[in-house]
PDB file of all heavy atoms in Angstrom:
ATOM      1  N   VAL H  39      -8.245   4.520  11.223  1.00  0.00           N
ATOM      2  CA  VAL H  39      -7.557   5.705  11.778  1.00  0.00           C
ATOM      3  C   VAL H  39      -8.428   6.921  11.429  1.00  0.00           C
ATOM      4  O   VAL H  39      -8.673   7.885  12.407  1.00  0.00           O
ATOM      5  CB  VAL H  39      -6.112   5.907  11.199  1.00  0.00           C
ATOM      6  CG1 VAL H  39      -5.678   7.360  11.491  1.00  0.00           C
ATOM      7  CG2 VAL H  39      -5.230   4.879  11.632  1.00  0.00           C
ATOM      8  N   LEU H  40      -8.994   7.093  10.235  1.00  0.00           N
ATOM      9  CA  LEU H  40      -9.896   8.240   9.996  1.00  0.00           C
ATOM     10  C   LEU H  40     -11.147   8.229  10.812  1.00  0.00           C
ATOM     11  O   LEU H  40     -11.539   9.260  11.294  1.00  0.00           O
ATOM     12  CB  LEU H  40     -10.250   8.049   8.571  1.00  0.00           C
ATOM     13  CG  LEU H  40      -9.056   8.430   7.509  1.00  0.00           C
ATOM     14  CD1 LEU H  40      -9.585   8.229   6.019  1.00  0.00           C
ATOM     15  CD2 LEU H  40      -8.446   9.803   7.723  1.00  0.00           C
ATOM     16  N   GLU H  41     -11.728   7.056  11.074  1.00  0.00           N
ATOM     17  CA  GLU H  41     -12.900   6.927  11.987  1.00  0.00           C
ATOM     18  C   GLU H  41     -12.523   7.309  13.358  1.00  0.00           C
ATOM     19  O   GLU H  41     -13.318   7.981  14.029  1.00  0.00           O
ATOM     20  CB  GLU H  41     -13.474   5.618  11.930  1.00  0.00           C
ATOM     21  CG  GLU H  41     -14.168   5.134  10.483  1.00  0.00           C
ATOM     22  CD  GLU H  41     -14.491   3.724  10.496  1.00  0.00           C
ATOM     23  OE1 GLU H  41     -14.071   2.946  11.328  1.00  0.00           O
ATOM     24  OE2 GLU H  41     -15.152   3.391   9.406  1.00  0.00           O
ATOM     25  N   ASP H  42     -11.435   6.938  13.883  1.00  0.00           N
ATOM     26  CA  ASP H  42     -10.936   7.406  15.128  1.00  0.00           C
ATOM     27  C   ASP H  42     -10.829   8.964  15.276  1.00  0.00           C
ATOM     28  O   ASP H  42     -11.275   9.548  16.196  1.00  0.00           O
ATOM     29  CB  ASP H  42      -9.709   6.694  15.556  1.00  0.00           C
ATOM     30  CG  ASP H  42      -9.180   7.120  16.909  1.00  0.00           C
ATOM     31  OD1 ASP H  42      -9.786   6.744  17.927  1.00  0.00           O
ATOM     32  OD2 ASP H  42      -8.194   7.818  16.966  1.00  0.00           O
ATOM     33  N   ILE H  43     -10.276   9.504  14.233  1.00  0.00           N
ATOM     34  CA  ILE H  43     -10.041  10.989  14.208  1.00  0.00           C
ATOM     35  C   ILE H  43     -11.487  11.622  14.150  1.00  0.00           C
ATOM     36  O   ILE H  43     -11.628  12.580  14.844  1.00  0.00           O
ATOM     37  CB  ILE H  43      -9.247  11.452  13.111  1.00  0.00           C
ATOM     38  CG1 ILE H  43      -7.725  10.976  13.210  1.00  0.00           C
ATOM     39  CG2 ILE H  43      -9.257  12.834  12.833  1.00  0.00           C
ATOM     40  CD1 ILE H  43      -6.845  11.037  12.036  1.00  0.00           C
ATOM     41  N   ALA H  44     -12.356  11.078  13.401  1.00  0.00           N
ATOM     42  CA  ALA H  44     -13.666  11.761  13.321  1.00  0.00           C
ATOM     43  C   ALA H  44     -14.348  11.613  14.742  1.00  0.00           C
ATOM     44  O   ALA H  44     -15.046  12.485  15.050  1.00  0.00           O
ATOM     45  CB  ALA H  44     -14.522  10.943  12.262  1.00  0.00           C
ATOM     46  N   ALA H  45     -14.183  10.483  15.364  1.00  0.00           N
ATOM     47  CA  ALA H  45     -14.932  10.355  16.569  1.00  0.00           C
ATOM     48  C   ALA H  45     -14.290  11.088  17.766  1.00  0.00           C
ATOM     49  O   ALA H  45     -14.971  11.520  18.694  1.00  0.00           O
ATOM     50  CB  ALA H  45     -15.058   8.854  16.970  1.00  0.00           C
ATOM     51  N   ASN H  46     -12.932  11.144  17.763  1.00  0.00           N
ATOM     52  CA  ASN H  46     -12.283  11.630  18.897  1.00  0.00           C
ATOM     53  C   ASN H  46     -11.378  12.824  18.676  1.00  0.00           C
ATOM     54  O   ASN H  46     -10.743  13.364  19.754  1.00  0.00           O
ATOM     55  CB  ASN H  46     -11.228  10.479  19.526  1.00  0.00           C
ATOM     56  CG  ASN H  46     -12.013   9.339  19.791  1.00  0.00           C
ATOM     57  OD1 ASN H  46     -12.995   9.292  20.576  1.00  0.00           O
ATOM     58  ND2 ASN H  46     -11.673   8.134  19.232  1.00  0.00           N
ATOM     59  N   GLY H  47     -11.390  13.364  17.511  1.00  0.00           N
ATOM     60  CA  GLY H  47     -10.505  14.417  17.095  1.00  0.00           C
ATOM     61  C   GLY H  47      -9.074  14.075  16.902  1.00  0.00           C
ATOM     62  O   GLY H  47      -8.647  12.982  16.960  1.00  0.00           O
ATOM     63  N   LEU H  48      -8.357  14.998  16.583  1.00  0.00           N
ATOM     64  CA  LEU H  48      -6.862  14.749  16.136  1.00  0.00           C
ATOM     65  C   LEU H  48      -6.146  14.469  17.524  1.00  0.00           C
ATOM     66  O   LEU H  48      -6.389  15.110  18.602  1.00  0.00           O
ATOM     67  CB  LEU H  48      -6.273  15.961  15.538  1.00  0.00           C
ATOM     68  CG  LEU H  48      -6.773  16.409  14.147  1.00  0.00           C
ATOM     69  CD1 LEU H  48      -6.213  17.673  13.686  1.00  0.00           C
ATOM     70  CD2 LEU H  48      -6.278  15.339  13.189  1.00  0.00           C
ATOM     71  N   PRO H  49      -5.021  13.781  17.326  1.00  0.00           N
ATOM     72  CA  PRO H  49      -4.150  13.288  18.621  1.00  0.00           C
ATOM     73  C   PRO H  49      -3.538  14.657  18.953  1.00  0.00           C
ATOM     74  O   PRO H  49      -3.185  15.511  18.108  1.00  0.00           O
ATOM     75  CB  PRO H  49      -3.298  12.278  18.110  1.00  0.00           C
ATOM     76  CG  PRO H  49      -3.387  12.307  16.720  1.00  0.00           C
ATOM     77  CD  PRO H  49      -4.621  12.913  16.269  1.00  0.00           C
ATOM     78  N   SER H  50      -2.995  14.714  20.200  1.00  0.00           N
ATOM     79  CA  SER H  50      -2.200  15.888  20.612  1.00  0.00           C
ATOM     80  C   SER H  50      -0.808  15.732  20.048  1.00  0.00           C
ATOM     81  O   SER H  50      -0.326  14.651  19.600  1.00  0.00           O
ATOM     82  CB  SER H  50      -2.066  15.917  22.079  1.00  0.00           C
ATOM     83  OG  SER H  50      -1.261  14.888  22.622  1.00  0.00           O
ATOM     84  N   VAL H  51      -0.085  16.928  19.836  1.00  0.00           N
ATOM     85  CA  VAL H  51       1.228  16.962  19.245  1.00  0.00           C
ATOM     86  C   VAL H  51       2.137  16.120  20.009  1.00  0.00           C
ATOM     87  O   VAL H  51       2.998  15.402  19.336  1.00  0.00           O
ATOM     88  CB  VAL H  51       1.655  18.480  19.203  1.00  0.00           C
ATOM     89  CG1 VAL H  51       3.054  18.523  18.655  1.00  0.00           C
ATOM     90  CG2 VAL H  51       0.795  19.230  18.321  1.00  0.00           C
ATOM     91  N   LYS H  52       1.977  15.986  21.348  1.00  0.00           N
ATOM     92  CA  LYS H  52       2.804  15.043  22.050  1.00  0.00           C
ATOM     93  C   LYS H  52       2.840  13.675  21.696  1.00  0.00           C
ATOM     94  O   LYS H  52       3.700  12.899  21.900  1.00  0.00           O
ATOM     95  CB  LYS H  52       2.596  15.329  23.628  1.00  0.00           C
ATOM     96  CG  LYS H  52       2.890  16.700  24.139  1.00  0.00           C
ATOM     97  CD  LYS H  52       2.452  16.840  25.538  1.00  0.00           C
ATOM     98  CE  LYS H  52       2.724  18.310  25.994  1.00  0.00           C
ATOM     99  NZ  LYS H  52       2.251  18.435  27.379  1.00  0.00           N
ATOM    100  N   GLU H  53       1.693  13.227  21.218  1.00  0.00           N
ATOM    101  CA  GLU H  53       1.454  11.789  20.833  1.00  0.00           C
ATOM    102  C   GLU H  53       1.914  11.476  19.433  1.00  0.00           C
ATOM    103  O   GLU H  53       1.941  10.303  19.044  1.00  0.00           O
ATOM    104  CB  GLU H  53      -0.074  11.439  20.997  1.00  0.00           C
ATOM    105  CG  GLU H  53      -0.616  11.548  22.388  1.00  0.00           C
ATOM    106  CD  GLU H  53      -2.253  11.134  22.481  1.00  0.00           C
ATOM    107  OE1 GLU H  53      -2.772  10.881  21.381  1.00  0.00           O
ATOM    108  OE2 GLU H  53      -2.618  11.377  23.537  1.00  0.00           O
ATOM    109  N   CYS H  54       2.146  12.492  18.732  1.00  0.00           N
ATOM    110  CA  CYS H  54       2.643  12.371  17.215  1.00  0.00           C
ATOM    111  C   CYS H  54       4.151  12.209  17.062  1.00  0.00           C
ATOM    112  O   CYS H  54       4.841  12.779  17.926  1.00  0.00           O
ATOM    113  CB  CYS H  54       2.144  13.577  16.435  1.00  0.00           C
ATOM    114  SG  CYS H  54       0.273  13.733  16.461  1.00  0.00           S
ATOM    115  N   THR H  55       4.475  11.479  16.017  1.00  0.00           N
ATOM    116  CA  THR H  55       5.869  11.284  15.586  1.00  0.00           C
ATOM    117  C   THR H  55       6.209  12.332  14.557  1.00  0.00           C
ATOM    118  O   THR H  55       5.464  12.552  13.536  1.00  0.00           O
ATOM    119  CB  THR H  55       6.114   9.897  15.132  1.00  0.00           C
ATOM    120  OG1 THR H  55       5.627   9.068  16.016  1.00  0.00           O
ATOM    121  CG2 THR H  55       7.642   9.679  14.778  1.00  0.00           C
ATOM    122  N   PRO H  56       7.239  13.076  14.730  1.00  0.00           N
ATOM    123  CA  PRO H  56       7.595  14.078  13.761  1.00  0.00           C
ATOM    124  C   PRO H  56       7.776  13.548  12.472  1.00  0.00           C
ATOM    125  O   PRO H  56       8.490  12.350  12.236  1.00  0.00           O
ATOM    126  CB  PRO H  56       8.877  14.810  14.212  1.00  0.00           C
ATOM    127  CG  PRO H  56       9.020  14.433  15.708  1.00  0.00           C
ATOM    128  CD  PRO H  56       8.262  13.141  15.880  1.00  0.00           C
ATOM    129  N   SER H  57       7.589  14.174  11.335  1.00  0.00           N
ATOM    130  CA  SER H  57       7.667  13.609   9.994  1.00  0.00           C
ATOM    131  C   SER H  57       9.147  13.224   9.680  1.00  0.00           C
ATOM    132  O   SER H  57       9.410  12.312   8.904  1.00  0.00           O
ATOM    133  CB  SER H  57       7.094  14.577   8.930  1.00  0.00           C
ATOM    134  OG  SER H  57       7.793  15.832   8.952  1.00  0.00           O
ATOM    135  N   GLU H  58      10.161  14.141  10.175  1.00  0.00           N
ATOM    136  CA  GLU H  58      11.512  13.766   9.853  1.00  0.00           C
ATOM    137  C   GLU H  58      11.916  12.355  10.504  1.00  0.00           C
ATOM    138  O   GLU H  58      12.624  11.580   9.815  1.00  0.00           O
ATOM    139  CB  GLU H  58      12.396  14.878  10.505  1.00  0.00           C
ATOM    140  CG  GLU H  58      12.216  16.279   9.931  1.00  0.00           C
ATOM    141  CD  GLU H  58      11.033  17.060  10.601  1.00  0.00           C
ATOM    142  OE1 GLU H  58      10.415  16.583  11.569  1.00  0.00           O
ATOM    143  OE2 GLU H  58      10.738  18.130  10.047  1.00  0.00           O
TER     144      GLU H  58
END
Side-chain angles (χ1 to χ4, degrees):
V39 169
L40 293 177
E41 289 169 352
D42 179 69
I43 290 171
N46 303 307
L48 292 170
S50 71
V51 173
K52 294 177 184 177
E53 296 176 3
C54 296
T55 305
S57 63
E58 296 84 6

